[in-house]
Amino acid sequence: MAMMMSSHSIFIATTPSLPNPNRPSHLLTRQISGLSLVSSFDFRHSSVRFRRDPCSRIRCSVSEATEVATAGKKSSLITRRDIRNIAIVAHVDHGKTTLVDAMLKQAKVFRENQFVQERIMDSNALERERGITILSKNTSISYKDTKINIIDTPGHSDFGGEVERVLNMVEGVLLVVDSVEGPMPQTRFVLKKALEFGHTVIVVVNKIDRPSARPDFVINATFELFIELNASDEQCDFQVIYASGIKGKAGLSPENLADDLGPLFEAIVRCIPGPTIKKDGALQMLVTNTEYDEHKGRIAIGRLHAGELQKGMDVKVCTTEEACRYGRISELFVYENFNRVPADTVEAGDICAVCGISDVMIGETIADRSSGKPLPAIKIEEPTVKMAFSINTSPFVGREGKYVTSRNLRDRLYRELERNLAMKVEDGETADTFIVSGRGTLHITILIENMRREGYEFMVGPPKVINKRENDKLLEPFEIATVEVPEEYMGPVVELLGKRRGQMFDMEGIGSEGTTLVKYKIPTRGLLGLRNAILTASRGTAILNTIFDSYEPWAGDMNTRDQGSLVAFEDGTTTSYALSSSQERGQMFVGPGVEVYKGQIVGIHQRPGDLSLNVCKKKAATNIRSNKEQTVILDTPLDYSLDDCIEYIQEDELVEVTPSSVRMCKNPKVVKKGR
């Protein structure tokens, strides 16, 4: 017997129920839109197809259920129908920011003759250079009579803390999924967080115009992911929109896209519930983000959960009920289109920015002065990687940087904690050393890059994983690594992952380009330095994505680097004569005419173990004139970025970071201990 559900038009054959309904590979019973659906097959290999009638009207059981539930509560709770608060979440490079661009342009945020750059929301210089979103940002658009507050979030797992914070501000999310790749590691992470908050999810299958698009597979895989993450029955009844963000088109079926994003806007208004508020309750606003302005000082951003906020109002700022202080709102802003607009009053349910409280922190509650109570604090997952920051001790200290003392370094690192909740800073073993912990190496590397651009000069040690000990057992973090690699390079990549204690649990071909997707469970230790090794093994064609999975027993010793370093023998300036003989020992990091110091790493040794070289040696001058000058041919030196250097160094090595240079050197303290 076949059953059909109007929202998804899922055709599923029913069979008698079997035990163990928690695993998606067994029978699952779901109560969706009032219909009991029982599936008796493995979703991974099933032929289930989600098909939608292009002419069908968008309807959502989630929003209807939410409104019914709200109506049954106390009469003081009301739902605002003129506002929708949404976060756009996705795996890195699935087209999330490009889709936001199209939404802003079609909502007439900009003049028709106005020049608008690509990826408008990636306003940070580092974001534009790297092509990734690092910080969450707010904007809003108007569609018909509804104001839609949009929060663009990072797609990289290292910046998951940004996503966790902003989910407090919204009632629903747009989950953007690539039409070929389907759900990826970060998709799982952001979806899990959204489902834990009970948010409504609209799935946007983006890049539907790709030649190898496979929308049926993507919807099946996404539905399976919902079930694995224990989504509620209403959440599993998600609305699907097919879109091409770069063309600014969307539709209810992959073959029939509208000329604009109208179907997406309609889905947001219909499916995402309006904010449920206590209009007459005591003021409550949870601060989920902060910014700094030279004229206005610190700006607190958050959603108003209850009451009404007014300009010039006296308020109470609370961390807990016992820890409260008082302040006054000097200025008030709301988001309209792409700008912050001054406002005199903000009603509950809207997202606003507040000025006047100079010491307000993320996670605090701005509450009514007399009867306000704090909201629950924001919970952030623990960091998994740590690095040691210390003052610069090289002979070149102070030449390029503006801030070089330990006090400068300490102030800057602790200031970062005010905004970056997923990061931790602790004092190290010495007065000039600090331990910085984060979600991953990229999370900490972005901080290092920002600091060097601000004029700081310092040294960082190699990344180390943060282990735990439970019941006298040593546990270490494990991650899920997903590698997209052409079939011809599969062998070297699988060998690399196997050496680093990785265990393959899934492999599948994707698209028509001859690309294979392999999934591994691997210790975080094994990922340090892996990205460069995989790019080398695959001639730059492989794509590596990782996300934290769990803490598990120590996997054993592993060697992440087979080659040693070439180390400068003395201070001086490199010469072509010296480099011509040095390059026979390995690959060089420096060319001729570069100042180096004793202990600086100038290249990669072709064998295990370090080798000291004199790269400043000059040709002996004699009074015998030769008939022919010897031509020196030098190899092009390796150009390692900051990320590459941090991946390269090992226990006894450091990276020297200055505004103009990134150098690597041996750590004299560790070398002395090892002797």
Side-chain angles (χ1 to χ4, degrees):
M1 161 181 172
M3 274 192 187
M4 186 179 77
M5 186 184 73
S6 61
S7 178
H8 278 148
S9 301
I10 313 173
F11 297 90
I12 298 179
T14 61
T15 58
S17 177
L18 290 178
N20 195 5
N22 295 323
R23 294 179 56 197
S25 57
H26 289 270
L27 289 182
L28 299 171
T29 303
R30 285 288 177 193
Q31 191 72 28
I32 303 178
S33 295
L35 298 177
S36 177
L37 302 184
V38 185
S39 62
S40 58
F41 45 81
D42 189 340
F43 276 87
R44 298 178 191 274
H45 308 291
S46 71
S47 58
V48 176
R49 293 292 179 265
F50 291 74
R51 293 194 296 275
R52 183 185 302 283
D53 178 2
C55 303
S56 66
R57 188 171 70 94
I58 300 172
R59 57 169 295 282
C60 293
S61 66
V62 181
S63 56
E64 292 163 9
T66 306
E67 289 179 10
V68 170
T70 304
K73 291 182 182 178
K74 295 179 183 178
S75 58
S76 61
L77 288 178
I78 63 169
T79 301
R80 287 191 66 174
R81 299 182 180 276
D82 60 331
I83 285 182
R84 299 293 185 274
N85 299 317
I86 62 166
I88 300 188
V89 297
H91 185 81
V92 66
D93 203 31
H94 277 197
K96 169 176 46 63
T97 305
T98 306
L99 184 65
V100 176
D101 282 5
M103 293 173 73
L104 290 169
K105 288 172 183 174
Q106 292 189 20
K108 306 295 183 187
V109 170
F110 309 103
R111 298 190 313 273
E112 289 187 11
N113 63 344
Q114 184 175 348
F115 171 74
V116 179
Q117 61 189 6
E118 289 184 359
R119 304 196 318 274
I120 310 159
M121 297 296 284
D122 286 349
S123 53
N124 184 296
L126 211 50
E127 291 177 323
R128 303 202 65 79
E129 286 174 24
R130 295 186 178 229
I132 58 173
T133 304
I134 297 170
L135 304 171
S136 298
K137 298 174 199 69
N138 296 59
T139 187
S140 81
I141 59 175
S142 295
Y143 179 73
K144 296 182 178 177
D145 297 327
T146 306
K147 177 183 179 182
I148 304 174
N149 286 313
I150 301 172
I151 306 175
D152 185 24
T153 63
H156 201 286
S157 58
D158 283 23
F159 309 111
E162 293 282 315
V163 181
E164 290 175 83
R165 283 196 290 110
V166 302
L167 289 178
N168 285 279
M169 302 165 69
V170 299
E171 283 79 31
V173 297
L174 295 189
L175 181 69
V176 182
V177 186
D178 189 283
S179 64
V180 176
E181 295 177 354
M184 296 290 279
Q186 182 66 3
T187 313
R188 184 186 187 91
F189 173 79
V190 293
L191 178 59
K192 179 185 174 186
K193 293 298 173 187
L195 295 176
E196 285 175 359
F197 276 91
H199 291 333
T200 306
V201 181
I202 296 176
V203 176
V204 180
V205 181
N206 196 24
K207 304 185 184 180
I208 198 66
D209 51 342
R210 287 181 66 176
S212 52
R214 44 180 188 168
D216 287 346
F217 166 81
V218 170
I219 296 299
N220 288 343
T222 307
F223 184 66
E224 178 187 352
L225 182 59
F226 269 74
I227 293 173
E228 283 181 17
L229 297 175
N230 296 320
S232 68
D233 301 330
E234 289 80 14
Q235 287 171 326
C236 282
D237 185 15
F238 54 82
Q239 174 70 45
V240 181
I241 298 291
Y242 301 92
S244 170
I246 200 162
K247 291 182 179 178
K249 294 182 177 182
L252 298 176
S253 72
E255 301 84 16
N256 187 17
L257 298 186
D259 294 331
D260 56 19
L261 294 175
L264 176 61
F265 291 132
E266 287 288 344
I268 291 170
V269 172
R270 188 178 295 275
C271 298
I272 305 295
T276 302
I277 59 167
K278 292 181 184 177
K279 189 172 182 181
D280 302 324
L283 170 67
Q284 281 183 315
M285 172 186 158
L286 184 66
V287 179
T288 51
N289 204 353
T290 58
E291 293 180 8
Y292 185 81
D293 185 273
E294 290 182 3
H295 305 291
K296 298 180 177 64
R298 184 170 295 183
I299 302 172
I301 301 167
R303 197 187 95 181
L304 203 57
H305 288 263
E308 188 177 81
L309 197 57
Q310 296 176 352
K311 183 178 176 181
M313 189 177 186
D314 290 323
V315 294
K316 184 164 62 174
V317 183
C318 299
T319 308
T320 62
E321 288 197 31
E322 292 77 28
C324 293
R325 58 193 186 282
Y326 297 98
R328 171 172 285 191
I329 308 298
S330 61
E331 288 188 78
L332 198 54
F333 297 89
V334 292
Y335 289 89
E336 280 188 16
N337 296 333
F338 204 58
N339 301 309
R340 272 201 295 254
V341 180
D344 293 325
T345 305
V346 177
E347 292 184 3
D350 207 349
I351 293 172
C352 62
V354 171
C355 304
I357 307 171
S358 60
D359 57 349
V360 68
M361 303 284 283
I362 292 174
E364 292 187 325
T365 303
I366 296 175
D368 184 75
R369 186 180 177 91
S370 56
S371 58
K373 292 185 178 180
L375 290 161
I378 299 172
K379 293 180 180 178
I380 300 290
E381 289 192 1
E382 292 295 310
T384 57
V385 175
K386 62 183 178 181
M387 291 173 66
F389 284 53
S390 61
I391 60 169
N392 191 359
T393 54
S394 83
F396 295 168
V397 60
R399 289 190 184 185
E400 301 166 356
K402 185 178 175 184
Y403 307 107
V404 296
T405 65
S406 59
R407 183 178 60 82
N408 295 142
L409 185 60
R410 180 190 179 89
D411 291 347
R412 176 62 181 83
L413 290 175
Y414 279 96
R415 194 163 68 245
E416 182 69 18
L417 298 182
E418 294 176 3
R419 195 189 183 286
N420 202 331
L421 292 192
M423 193 169 278
K424 290 186 177 180
V425 178
E426 303 167 310
D427 292 342
E429 295 178 359
T430 59
D432 54 13
T433 305
F434 306 93
I435 307 299
V436 179
S437 306
R439 284 283 184 85
T441 51
L442 181 63
H443 189 199
I444 304 176
T445 304
I446 292 295
L447 168 64
I448 296 170
E449 184 63 44
N450 281 325
M451 288 175 65
R452 69 179 285 233
R453 293 183 183 205
E454 293 166 16
Y456 287 85
E457 194 174 297
F458 54 97
M459 284 183 160
V460 294
K464 299 176 183 177
V465 298
I466 300 173
N467 298 321
K468 288 184 178 179
R469 191 171 284 278
E470 289 182 9
N471 301 326
D472 293 332
K473 283 187 178 180
L474 183 63
L475 305 180
E476 65 172 329
F478 274 70
E479 304 200 21
I480 301 296
T482 308
V483 187
E484 288 178 54
V485 59
E487 289 177 5
E488 57 191 296
Y489 301 119
M490 269 287 290
V493 169
V494 168
E495 185 183 354
L496 264 176
L497 289 158
K499 279 183 180 177
R500 293 165 179 255
R501 307 275 181 177
Q503 296 178 339
M504 185 192 296
F505 65 87
D506 193 14
M507 180 170 68
E508 59 177 315
I510 59 170
S512 56
E513 296 97 351
T515 303
T516 303
L517 187 75
V518 289
K519 295 183 180 179
Y520 275 81
K521 190 166 187 178
I522 185 170
T524 304
R525 281 182 301 140
L527 294 172
L528 304 178
L530 180 63
R531 201 173 299 273
N532 271 341
I534 280 186
L535 286 174
T536 304
S538 65
R539 305 292 188 272
T541 56
I543 300 172
L544 171 67
N545 291 297
T546 61
I547 190 162
F548 173 75
D549 181 56
S550 59
Y551 272 87
E552 296 195 8
W554 179 263
D557 295 331
M558 69 175 74
N559 185 19
T560 56
R561 198 177 89 192
D562 298 326
Q563 297 166 305
S565 299
L566 299 176
V567 185
F569 189 75
E570 62 180 11
D571 300 355
T573 304
T574 57
T575 63
S576 300
Y577 175 72
L579 291 174
S580 64
S581 57
S582 299
Q583 68 186 15
E584 297 173 5
R585 306 287 190 176
Q587 295 173 288
M588 306 303 295
F589 290 134
V590 294
V594 177
E595 274 196 275
V596 297
Y597 54 83
K598 183 179 179 181
Q600 182 176 333
I601 297 172
V602 293
I604 303 174
H605 192 198
Q606 60 191 8
R607 296 179 181 175
D610 297 337
L611 179 67
S612 294
L613 295 173
N614 187 353
V615 289
C616 306
K617 183 170 58 177
K618 294 179 181 178
K619 190 175 182 181
T622 67
N623 60 354
I624 300 173
R625 183 175 297 173
S626 60
N627 293 329
K628 186 179 178 183
E629 285 292 327
Q630 185 180 359
T631 304
V632 176
I633 299 174
L634 297 177
D635 297 335
T636 304
L638 294 173
D639 184 18
Y640 267 23
S641 66
L642 173 63
D643 301 68
D644 297 333
C645 291
I646 286 172
E647 281 198 353
Y648 174 80
I649 59 171
Q650 291 198 314
E651 191 68 33
D652 63 338
E653 296 166 346
L654 297 168
V655 177
E656 179 192 353
V657 182
T658 73
S660 308
S661 312
V662 177
R663 308 181 189 92
M664 292 179 283
C665 63
K666 303 303 285 187
N667 186 347
K669 297 177 183 177
V670 176
V671 171
K672 285 175 185 174
K673 287 179 185 175
R675 283 180 181 170

